[in-house]
Amino acid sequence: MVSSSSANHPLKPVSQLHYELLTLGDELLLGLTPNSHLTYIGAQLGRRGVLLRRSVTITDEADAIARQFRESWAQADVIITTGGLGPTCDDRTREVLAEVLGQALVYDAAIEQAIIERFARLGKKMTANNLKQAFRFERGEVLANPNGTAPGLWVEQDGKVLCMLPGPPNELQPMLTEQVIPRLAERGLLASREAYLQLRTAGIGESMLEIRLEPILQRHQEALSVAFCAHHGHVDCRLSSPTGALSEAQLLALGRECEQLLGEDFVTFGQDSIAKVCGEALRAQEKTLAVAETSTSGLLAQAFGDLCGAGKFFAGGVICCSNDSKMQLLDVPECLMMQHGAVSAECAVALATGAAEKLGADYALAITGFGGKCGGPKENPAGMIFVALYSPHGVWSKSLNFPGPRAVVNVRAVNTALDWLRRELMRAAREQSSPQRRSGVMQ
Amino acid sequence: MVSSSSANHPLKPVSQLHYELLTLGDELLLGLTPNSHLTYIGAQLGRRGVLLRRSVTITDEADAIARQFRESWAQADVIITTGGLGPTCDDRTREVLAEVLGQALVYDAAIEQAIIERFARLGKKMTANNLKQAFRFERGEVLANPNGTAPGLWVEQDGKVLCMLPGPPNELQPMLTEQVIPRLAERGLLASREAYLQLRTAGIGESMLEIRLEPILQRHQEALSVAFCAHHGHVDCRLSSPTGALSEAQLLALGRECEQLLGEDFVTFGQDSIAKVCGEALRAQEKTLAVAETSTSGLLAQAFGDLCGAGKFFAGGVICCSNDSKMQLLDVPECLMMQHGAVSAECAVALATGAAEKLGADYALAITGFGGKCGGPKENPAGMIFVALYSPHGVWSKSLNFPGPRAVVNVRAVNTALDWLRRELMRAAREQSSPQRRSGVMQ
């Protein structure tokens, strides 16, 4: 297939290839479920140097699918579809696309066997309509689905590739990374490895980052492509060399230069979250962390929830909504809250100290605020938040005041707190190597 | 405009209208940010009886925008675009669409004034490129943007509507609900009020729900449209009468019948989360709730994080990752964990009891488990979770075992725990009205 494919298909550079994503389902168009397929597939392709040209979401209705697919197939080099492969009557994609491509669907005994075995393994009764999923294109291949019943389908025709993936993310995602990406790479339809180098930064805005990196990046203007992406609390910078003028090693060297220049504002190369970077530093230094929250109600603790082995460094957290709970769980003195209020630098410090002591942790982060929207008293406006960091060297507090809706304010508060911890952990690591620099701490 | 619009535009029933959403931005196609616009706009239109026919995401590249818009404009009755209205050079949507529609862009002094005032209010310096946002279509209207600099734009032409919205969600969302939806309703382009009745259920699967409701729903087969949507932990059923054969009152009466039939499995009419329903019941009964978690690491507490006034009923929570923290914060006996393990019914009960006592709450939920993926010892496989419910009448525990990835397992565990609390609160409410039914509790 490869040769025939490349034969009909004059090989363009990957960045020139026209990829389209076609997601099906009224539940997406009704906003009942977010389109996680675009987010996931777009990111995976992007990391291999492909920018999706278009992502189209349409209804399950057969005519709409046929019309859209005809139009897309005419322009695209690669089309990935998601959903519509299931057993029920509104899963029509397989049939409709086969007709547009002038292919017959053939019953595949191997698929049937896999489906029957899956139901047996799960001890479930298989209804007859499940065998609808055993049909494949007569001139096509099958992508095994270890996590579900509907296999993926792969067709190469007219010098183009059609790849049909099942809708459930836990079936689609491994199928994409383990089967589809390698197949596309084999055929030269995407880069054989990561196509860019990502620098993750924190503590500086997008435009400031651009200005600071300019002296390094402008030296390679023509060879280099630079993209910035701001998130709530961190900014990513992606370096790539679309023409291939710069080797991977040269890109990395450039990245290292940027790292040096950015100092503490540099978080990591790649995709790791600030929480993950903190977690690794804590494990390396054999230290533990505790957290205490009010307005963020568990969001700070959640940052560590997805990290494997978090038990090694994350001692736990406390969410205190009432003053009683602050006293009961973390020994915050009532008089302190009476005098300074529950949303104050003093209370934040008491929460962090209490969390560290009660949970026997070396470090602690505390966030207390009104969290916006629901608001607080006038003189302490919604959005006003106090963060405290407890460390073996002392405890500090600072106030934050972010505009915007409650959800955004909370995310930014959590990321600001985590970044503060990250910087302190970096300092601690540096001291271990050169103790005399201790004086530089927290200036 | 209305008449001219309806003149060129033979009025079809709303459900027949062709709506398209056009979202712009490489960051969406690269999966750097999820397409929250589709989720939000699709849901808002759906609630007014409109099913988006198509949602297209394309790059910021001018030719691509022009090509797509031409194609969409030819088929659609209403097109909503998001993004590309900003001040930077890659914000080209306004210019490109004006050219396709054969309209000139005119400089609007009122917009300029609003932008200048906004910068002054925020005490920021305004760069010249911001005034690019002061241009509007010569034959079009302006949608004020109280939350940002770029106003929305509204054009009625060829008997169609083009509505251009700014990209940031906190600017787009209020503009849509407060200005766009009412304008579309005025012109008869969507239903003037909620187009369907949603029943939210928990504790039964989609297919079982369909079977149980069949006797009621089949009585109105031709007049009624029924849609089911399963989420992790609850299933929604939407009743509507596209032809208008059933009045709002008749739909509601039908809904009440379903509510009766479903009993405790009925959660609420509308969109409220199970956590919100629990919160309202707690407030009504003047009771408070505390939570304790291990593997879900704050996810349970987060369920109450977005609820305004949660402080009234949510006492707080504890996240205990280590056995020490369970002992320190919640007085879980060490011997209990030694004997039964930290992931056990006994430990779950101790966690719930400890949370209720320490936080002085009437009710408490506890979740303890390995949370999947990162796994646990063989005899207690990943995904095995214990939930405990503490109430004024006693404390109970049950074990859950969900398949699937860690994130899904955690969400389902949290929703199962919340639904258990909800059922207990419903029982408590019923008893207040008829105490003799006490015997029926927790059988």
Side-chain angles (χ1 to χ4, degrees):
Chain A
M1 296 296 277
V2 181
S3 58
S4 84
S5 156
S6 15
N8 323 349
H9 188 352
L11 273 181
K12 318 172 189 171
V14 165
S15 62
Q16 300 295 308
L17 290 170
H18 186 121
Y19 273 71
E20 286 204 13
L21 175 63
L22 199 50
T23 51
L24 302 162
D26 294 1
E27 71 283 3
L28 295 169
L29 293 164
L30 285 167
L32 300 176
T33 50
N35 190 350
S36 63
H37 296 331
L38 171 55
T39 319
Y40 187 81
I41 296 173
Q44 292 297 322
L45 294 177
R47 291 170 64 168
R48 296 302 195 94
V50 169
L51 168 62
L52 271 175
R53 288 294 175 80
R54 184 163 71 156
S55 168
V56 181
T57 306
I58 52 174
T59 66
D60 298 322
E61 190 241 322
D63 294 353
I65 299 173
R67 194 180 321 111
Q68 184 61 54
F69 181 70
R70 249 186 230 99
E71 196 237 302
S72 296
W73 188 248
Q75 317 179 23
D77 298 304
V78 179
I79 294 183
I80 298 174
T81 70
T82 68
L85 295 177
T88 63
C89 57
D90 61 352
D91 294 309
R92 305 187 188 81
T93 324
R94 196 188 284 96
E95 293 70 10
V96 171
L97 269 52
E99 195 183 336
V100 174
L101 292 175
Q103 287 210 33
L105 290 173
V106 297
Y107 193 81
D108 187 311
I111 304 176
E112 175 190 301
Q113 197 49 39
I115 295 173
I116 291 169
E117 279 165 9
R118 178 175 175 81
F119 274 94
R121 201 165 56 251
L122 298 176
K124 286 192 193 160
K125 195 180 167 310
M126 184 186 77
T127 52
N129 56 3
N130 274 284
L131 293 180
K132 186 178 157 199
Q133 303 169 104
F135 283 92
R136 63 164 176 81
F137 290 74
E138 57 178 332
R139 297 185 304 282
E141 298 167 55
V142 172
L143 306 172
N145 183 356
N147 305 304
T149 48
L153 298 172
W154 176 278
V155 179
E156 295 182 52
Q157 180 175 322
D158 317 328
K160 303 162 184 281
V161 171
L162 165 64
C163 173
M164 302 177 67
L165 303 176
N170 62 316
E171 301 177 26
L172 177 148
Q173 293 179 5
M175 195 181 286
L176 182 77
T177 51
E178 291 158 28
Q179 300 183 69
V180 176
I181 298 276
R183 275 168 175 261
L184 290 168
E186 269 172 30
R187 289 153 176 72
L189 296 171
L190 44 71
S192 50
R193 43 185 154 57
E194 293 276 320
Y196 58 81
L197 179 69
Q198 175 162 296
L199 288 82
R200 180 151 286 179
T201 73
I204 34 171
E206 190 173 0
S207 46
M208 179 52 68
L209 180 62
E210 189 166 4
I211 291 165
R212 281 180 60 186
L213 294 182
E214 205 169 17
I216 296 179
L217 302 183
Q218 71 185 1
R219 294 206 317 264
H220 306 274
Q221 243 160 355
E222 52 298 315
L224 196 65
S225 152
V226 184
F228 294 92
C229 182
H231 306 270
H232 296 303
H234 70 270
V235 178
D236 294 331
C237 170
R238 298 179 153 194
L239 306 178
S240 62
S241 178
T243 64
L246 294 174
S247 72
E248 224 183 344
Q250 286 171 303
L251 273 182
L252 187 58
L254 218 54
R256 295 265 176 232
E257 263 191 273
C258 297
E259 176 184 5
Q260 286 303 316
L261 183 96
L262 293 173
E264 280 192 351
D265 295 336
F266 173 86
V267 176
T268 185
F269 289 111
Q271 314 284 340
D272 288 352
S273 67
I274 300 177
K276 183 151 193 245
V277 172
C278 289
E280 277 156 11
L282 287 163
R283 286 180 77 157
Q285 299 174 36
E286 294 177 326
K287 296 279 189 277
T288 58
L289 172 72
V291 301
E293 325 175 47
T294 65
S295 53
T296 50
S297 190
L299 196 63
L300 179 55
Q302 260 296 290
F304 300 98
D306 305 336
L307 304 180
C308 282
K312 295 266 190 314
F313 60 84
F314 185 57
V318 175
I319 296 139
C320 318
C321 301
S322 67
N323 287 0
D324 280 357
S325 59
K326 294 183 183 74
M327 302 186 307
Q328 270 293 323
L329 288 171
L330 299 179
D331 298 338
V332 177
E334 182 164 25
C335 60
L336 182 147
M337 290 183 281
M338 293 302 123
Q339 198 178 334
H340 302 285
V343 179
S344 63
E346 292 78 3
C347 188
V349 164
L351 287 167
T353 309
E357 285 170 357
K358 284 289 190 159
L359 286 152
D362 307 291
Y363 290 85
L365 284 172
I367 301 179
T368 178
F370 296 110
K373 204 166 109 212
C374 296
K378 258 253 157 305
E379 64 279 7
N380 205 345
M384 168 67 87
I385 287 174
F386 290 91
V387 180
L389 168 62
Y390 174 99
S391 92
H393 313 116
V395 56
W396 304 270
S397 172
K398 59 181 163 193
S399 73
L400 311 173
N401 196 343
F402 299 123
R406 180 190 181 122
V408 174
V409 168
N410 286 341
V411 171
R412 292 190 61 184
V414 165
N415 282 328
T416 305
L418 289 169
D419 189 47
W420 194 8
L421 171 65
R422 180 187 65 84
R423 288 164 192 264
E424 178 57 11
L425 289 168
M426 297 303 120
R427 285 202 184 82
R430 282 201 304 275
E431 281 143 36
Q432 284 182 344
S433 42
S434 55
Q436 70 281 8
R437 294 187 45 192
R438 174 77 224 149
S439 60
V441 161
M442 300 307 291
Q443 70 213 355
Chain B
M1 296 297 276
V2 182
S3 59
S4 84
S5 156
S6 17
N8 322 350
H9 187 354
L11 273 182
K12 318 171 189 172
V14 164
S15 62
Q16 301 293 309
L17 289 170
H18 186 120
Y19 272 70
E20 286 203 13
L21 174 63
L22 199 51
T23 52
L24 301 162
D26 294 2
E27 72 282 3
L28 295 170
L29 293 164
L30 285 168
L32 299 176
T33 50
N35 189 350
S36 63
H37 296 332
L38 171 55
T39 319
Y40 187 81
I41 296 173
Q44 292 297 322
L45 294 177
R47 292 169 65 168
R48 295 303 194 94
V50 169
L51 169 61
L52 270 175
R53 287 294 175 80
R54 183 163 72 157
S55 167
V56 182
T57 306
I58 52 174
T59 67
D60 298 322
E61 191 241 321
D63 293 353
I65 299 173
R67 194 179 323 113
Q68 182 62 53
F69 181 69
R70 252 187 227 98
E71 195 236 302
S72 296
W73 188 248
Q75 318 179 21
D77 298 304
V78 178
I79 294 184
I80 298 174
T81 70
T82 69
L85 295 177
T88 62
C89 58
D90 61 351
D91 295 309
R92 306 186 189 84
T93 324
R94 196 189 283 96
E95 293 71 12
V96 172
L97 268 53
E99 195 183 335
V100 174
L101 291 176
Q103 287 210 33
L105 290 173
V106 295
Y107 193 80
D108 187 312
I111 303 177
E112 174 190 300
Q113 197 49 39
I115 295 173
I116 290 170
E117 280 166 8
R118 178 175 175 80
F119 275 95
R121 200 165 57 251
L122 298 176
K124 286 192 193 160
K125 194 179 166 314
M126 184 185 77
T127 52
N129 55 3
N130 274 284
L131 293 180
K132 186 177 156 201
Q133 304 169 103
F135 283 91
R136 63 163 176 82
F137 289 73
E138 57 179 334
R139 297 186 305 280
E141 297 167 55
V142 172
L143 306 171
N145 182 358
N147 306 304
T149 47
L153 299 172
W154 176 279
V155 178
E156 294 183 53
Q157 180 175 321
D158 317 328
K160 303 162 184 281
V161 171
L162 165 64
C163 172
M164 301 177 68
L165 302 175
N170 62 316
E171 300 177 26
L172 177 149
Q173 294 179 5
M175 195 180 287
L176 182 78
T177 50
E178 291 158 26
Q179 299 183 70
V180 176
I181 298 277
R183 276 167 175 261
L184 290 167
E186 269 171 29
R187 288 151 178 75
L189 296 171
L190 45 70
S192 49
R193 42 182 156 58
E194 292 276 320
Y196 58 79
L197 180 68
Q198 175 161 296
L199 288 82
R200 180 151 286 180
T201 72
I204 35 172
E206 191 174 0
S207 46
M208 179 51 68
L209 180 62
E210 188 167 5
I211 291 165
R212 280 179 62 186
L213 293 182
E214 204 170 16
I216 297 178
L217 302 182
Q218 72 185 1
R219 295 204 318 263
H220 305 274
Q221 244 159 355
E222 52 299 315
L224 196 65
S225 153
V226 184
F228 294 92
C229 182
H231 306 271
H232 296 304
H234 70 271
V235 178
D236 294 331
C237 170
R238 300 179 151 194
L239 306 178
S240 62
S241 178
T243 64
L246 293 174
S247 70
E248 223 183 345
Q250 287 171 301
L251 274 182
L252 187 56
L254 219 54
R256 294 265 175 232
E257 264 191 274
C258 297
E259 177 184 3
Q260 285 304 316
L261 183 97
L262 292 173
E264 278 191 352
D265 295 336
F266 173 86
V267 176
T268 184
F269 289 111
Q271 314 283 338
D272 288 352
S273 68
I274 300 177
K276 184 153 193 244
V277 172
C278 289
E280 278 156 9
L282 286 164
R283 286 180 78 155
Q285 299 174 35
E286 292 176 326
K287 296 279 190 277
T288 60
L289 171 72
V291 302
E293 323 175 50
T294 66
S295 52
T296 51
S297 189
L299 196 63
L300 180 55
Q302 261 295 291
F304 301 98
D306 306 334
L307 305 179
C308 282
K312 293 268 190 316
F313 59 85
F314 186 57
V318 175
I319 296 139
C320 318
C321 301
S322 66
N323 288 358
D324 281 357
S325 59
K326 294 183 184 73
M327 301 187 301
Q328 270 293 324
L329 288 170
L330 299 179
D331 300 337
V332 178
E334 182 164 23
C335 59
L336 181 147
M337 289 184 281
M338 293 301 124
Q339 199 178 334
H340 302 286
V343 179
S344 63
E346 293 78 3
C347 188
V349 164
L351 287 167
T353 309
E357 285 169 357
K358 285 289 190 160
L359 286 153
D362 307 292
Y363 290 86
L365 283 173
I367 301 179
T368 178
F370 295 110
K373 204 165 108 210
C374 296
K378 257 256 158 304
E379 63 280 8
N380 206 345
M384 169 67 88
I385 288 174
F386 291 90
V387 179
L389 169 62
Y390 174 99
S391 92
H393 311 118
V395 55
W396 303 270
S397 172
K398 59 181 164 192
S399 73
L400 311 173
N401 197 342
F402 299 124
R406 180 190 182 125
V408 174
V409 168
N410 286 341
V411 170
R412 293 190 60 184
V414 165
N415 282 328
T416 306
L418 290 170
D419 189 49
W420 194 8
L421 171 64
R422 179 188 65 83
R423 289 164 192 265
E424 178 58 10
L425 290 168
M426 297 304 121
R427 284 200 184 82
R430 282 201 304 276
E431 280 143 36
Q432 284 182 345
S433 42
S434 55
Q436 70 280 7
R437 293 188 43 193
R438 175 77 224 147
S439 59
V441 161
M442 299 308 293
Q443 69 212 356

PDB file of all heavy atoms in Angstrom, chain B residues 80-95:
ATOM      1  N   ILE B  80     -22.743  31.701  13.144  1.00  0.00           N
ATOM      2  CA  ILE B  80     -22.093  32.340  14.282  1.00  0.00           C
ATOM      3  C   ILE B  80     -20.602  32.059  14.174  1.00  0.00           C
ATOM      4  O   ILE B  80     -20.193  30.910  13.990  1.00  0.00           O
ATOM      5  CB  ILE B  80     -22.645  31.786  15.611  1.00  0.00           C
ATOM      6  CG1 ILE B  80     -24.140  32.083  15.719  1.00  0.00           C
ATOM      7  CG2 ILE B  80     -21.893  32.378  16.799  1.00  0.00           C
ATOM      8  CD1 ILE B  80     -24.813  31.458  16.931  1.00  0.00           C
ATOM      9  N   THR B  81     -19.791  33.122  14.226  1.00  0.00           N
ATOM     10  CA  THR B  81     -18.341  32.921  14.223  1.00  0.00           C
ATOM     11  C   THR B  81     -17.780  33.326  15.581  1.00  0.00           C
ATOM     12  O   THR B  81     -18.346  34.184  16.266  1.00  0.00           O
ATOM     13  CB  THR B  81     -17.641  33.774  13.144  1.00  0.00           C
ATOM     14  OG1 THR B  81     -17.706  35.159  13.525  1.00  0.00           O
ATOM     15  CG2 THR B  81     -18.293  33.588  11.797  1.00  0.00           C
ATOM     16  N   THR B  82     -16.684  32.697  15.970  1.00  0.00           N
ATOM     17  CA  THR B  82     -16.018  33.079  17.216  1.00  0.00           C
ATOM     18  C   THR B  82     -14.544  33.318  16.954  1.00  0.00           C
ATOM     19  O   THR B  82     -13.918  32.592  16.183  1.00  0.00           O
ATOM     20  CB  THR B  82     -16.137  31.974  18.277  1.00  0.00           C
ATOM     21  OG1 THR B  82     -15.350  30.852  17.856  1.00  0.00           O
ATOM     22  CG2 THR B  82     -17.585  31.541  18.457  1.00  0.00           C
ATOM     23  N   GLY B  83     -14.005  34.333  17.598  1.00  0.00           N
ATOM     24  CA  GLY B  83     -12.574  34.611  17.523  1.00  0.00           C
ATOM     25  C   GLY B  83     -12.187  35.430  16.302  1.00  0.00           C
ATOM     26  O   GLY B  83     -13.008  35.720  15.442  1.00  0.00           O
ATOM     27  N   GLY B  84     -10.927  35.827  16.260  1.00  0.00           N
ATOM     28  CA  GLY B  84     -10.393  36.560  15.118  1.00  0.00           C
ATOM     29  C   GLY B  84     -10.802  38.019  15.070  1.00  0.00           C
ATOM     30  O   GLY B  84     -10.632  38.681  14.048  1.00  0.00           O
ATOM     31  N   LEU B  85     -11.361  38.551  16.183  1.00  0.00           N
ATOM     32  CA  LEU B  85     -11.770  39.967  16.192  1.00  0.00           C
ATOM     33  C   LEU B  85     -10.771  40.840  16.941  1.00  0.00           C
ATOM     34  O   LEU B  85     -10.959  42.048  17.059  1.00  0.00           O
ATOM     35  CB  LEU B  85     -13.146  40.106  16.860  1.00  0.00           C
ATOM     36  CG  LEU B  85     -14.324  39.440  16.142  1.00  0.00           C
ATOM     37  CD1 LEU B  85     -15.595  39.602  16.958  1.00  0.00           C
ATOM     38  CD2 LEU B  85     -14.497  40.030  14.751  1.00  0.00           C
ATOM     39  N   GLY B  86      -9.720  40.244  17.449  1.00  0.00           N
ATOM     40  CA  GLY B  86      -8.778  40.962  18.305  1.00  0.00           C
ATOM     41  C   GLY B  86      -7.923  41.977  17.568  1.00  0.00           C
ATOM     42  O   GLY B  86      -8.095  42.202  16.378  1.00  0.00           O
ATOM     43  N   PRO B  87      -6.955  42.564  18.289  1.00  0.00           N
ATOM     44  CA  PRO B  87      -6.153  43.652  17.748  1.00  0.00           C
ATOM     45  C   PRO B  87      -4.925  43.207  16.945  1.00  0.00           C
ATOM     46  O   PRO B  87      -4.348  43.997  16.221  1.00  0.00           O
ATOM     47  CB  PRO B  87      -5.697  44.399  19.007  1.00  0.00           C
ATOM     48  CG  PRO B  87      -5.616  43.335  20.044  1.00  0.00           C
ATOM     49  CD  PRO B  87      -6.689  42.331  19.704  1.00  0.00           C
ATOM     50  N   THR B  88      -4.547  41.921  17.048  1.00  0.00           N
ATOM     51  CA  THR B  88      -3.262  41.543  16.451  1.00  0.00           C
ATOM     52  C   THR B  88      -3.418  41.204  14.968  1.00  0.00           C
ATOM     53  O   THR B  88      -4.523  41.031  14.468  1.00  0.00           O
ATOM     54  CB  THR B  88      -2.639  40.340  17.188  1.00  0.00           C
ATOM     55  OG1 THR B  88      -3.515  39.231  17.053  1.00  0.00           O
ATOM     56  CG2 THR B  88      -2.444  40.664  18.659  1.00  0.00           C
ATOM     57  N   CYS B  89      -2.256  41.054  14.322  1.00  0.00           N
ATOM     58  CA  CYS B  89      -2.249  40.908  12.858  1.00  0.00           C
ATOM     59  C   CYS B  89      -2.910  39.601  12.421  1.00  0.00           C
ATOM     60  O   CYS B  89      -3.360  39.478  11.299  1.00  0.00           O
ATOM     61  CB  CYS B  89      -0.819  40.978  12.338  1.00  0.00           C
ATOM     62  SG  CYS B  89       0.218  39.725  13.089  1.00  0.00           S
ATOM     63  N   ASP B  90      -2.969  38.598  13.315  1.00  0.00           N
ATOM     64  CA  ASP B  90      -3.582  37.330  12.881  1.00  0.00           C
ATOM     65  C   ASP B  90      -5.094  37.323  13.131  1.00  0.00           C
ATOM     66  O   ASP B  90      -5.742  36.295  13.025  1.00  0.00           O
ATOM     67  CB  ASP B  90      -2.904  36.132  13.558  1.00  0.00           C
ATOM     68  CG  ASP B  90      -3.046  36.181  15.080  1.00  0.00           C
ATOM     69  OD1 ASP B  90      -3.514  37.215  15.583  1.00  0.00           O
ATOM     70  OD2 ASP B  90      -2.688  35.199  15.738  1.00  0.00           O
ATOM     71  N   ASP B  91      -5.648  38.478  13.475  1.00  0.00           N
ATOM     72  CA  ASP B  91      -7.105  38.598  13.635  1.00  0.00           C
ATOM     73  C   ASP B  91      -7.700  39.183  12.356  1.00  0.00           C
ATOM     74  O   ASP B  91      -7.850  40.393  12.233  1.00  0.00           O
ATOM     75  CB  ASP B  91      -7.438  39.474  14.846  1.00  0.00           C
ATOM     76  CG  ASP B  91      -6.980  38.833  16.150  1.00  0.00           C
ATOM     77  OD1 ASP B  91      -7.318  37.645  16.358  1.00  0.00           O
ATOM     78  OD2 ASP B  91      -6.276  39.489  16.920  1.00  0.00           O
ATOM     79  N   ARG B  92      -8.033  38.297  11.415  1.00  0.00           N
ATOM     80  CA  ARG B  92      -8.403  38.770  10.076  1.00  0.00           C
ATOM     81  C   ARG B  92      -9.879  38.580   9.755  1.00  0.00           C
ATOM     82  O   ARG B  92     -10.349  38.967   8.693  1.00  0.00           O
ATOM     83  CB  ARG B  92      -7.610  38.005   9.020  1.00  0.00           C
ATOM     84  CG  ARG B  92      -6.118  38.044   9.210  1.00  0.00           C
ATOM     85  CD  ARG B  92      -5.410  37.387   8.043  1.00  0.00           C
ATOM     86  NE  ARG B  92      -3.985  37.254   8.338  1.00  0.00           N
ATOM     87  CZ  ARG B  92      -3.472  36.249   9.042  1.00  0.00           C
ATOM     88  NH1 ARG B  92      -4.261  35.300   9.517  1.00  0.00           N
ATOM     89  NH2 ARG B  92      -2.166  36.192   9.283  1.00  0.00           N
ATOM     90  N   THR B  93     -10.620  37.948  10.658  1.00  0.00           N
ATOM     91  CA  THR B  93     -11.983  37.531  10.323  1.00  0.00           C
ATOM     92  C   THR B  93     -12.822  38.692   9.819  1.00  0.00           C
ATOM     93  O   THR B  93     -13.484  38.593   8.783  1.00  0.00           O
ATOM     94  CB  THR B  93     -12.660  36.929  11.576  1.00  0.00           C
ATOM     95  OG1 THR B  93     -11.683  36.213  12.302  1.00  0.00           O
ATOM     96  CG2 THR B  93     -13.778  36.013  11.176  1.00  0.00           C
ATOM     97  N   ARG B  94     -12.785  39.818  10.546  1.00  0.00           N
ATOM     98  CA  ARG B  94     -13.632  40.962  10.205  1.00  0.00           C
ATOM     99  C   ARG B  94     -13.411  41.359   8.745  1.00  0.00           C
ATOM    100  O   ARG B  94     -14.353  41.442   7.950  1.00  0.00           O
ATOM    101  CB  ARG B  94     -13.280  42.116  11.137  1.00  0.00           C
ATOM    102  CG  ARG B  94     -14.281  43.231  11.189  1.00  0.00           C
ATOM    103  CD  ARG B  94     -13.740  44.404  11.968  1.00  0.00           C
ATOM    104  NE  ARG B  94     -13.753  44.280  13.414  1.00  0.00           N
ATOM    105  CZ  ARG B  94     -12.699  43.877  14.149  1.00  0.00           C
ATOM    106  NH1 ARG B  94     -11.559  43.550  13.573  1.00  0.00           N
ATOM    107  NH2 ARG B  94     -12.784  43.819  15.451  1.00  0.00           N
ATOM    108  N   GLU B  95     -12.145  41.536   8.379  1.00  0.00           N
ATOM    109  CA  GLU B  95     -11.809  41.990   7.025  1.00  0.00           C
ATOM    110  C   GLU B  95     -12.244  40.963   5.976  1.00  0.00           C
ATOM    111  O   GLU B  95     -12.888  41.300   4.978  1.00  0.00           O
ATOM    112  CB  GLU B  95     -10.302  42.243   6.912  1.00  0.00           C
ATOM    113  CG  GLU B  95      -9.775  43.411   7.751  1.00  0.00           C
ATOM    114  CD  GLU B  95      -9.781  43.133   9.258  1.00  0.00           C
ATOM    115  OE1 GLU B  95      -9.972  41.954   9.645  1.00  0.00           O
ATOM    116  OE2 GLU B  95      -9.636  44.097  10.038  1.00  0.00           O
TER     117      GLU B  95
END
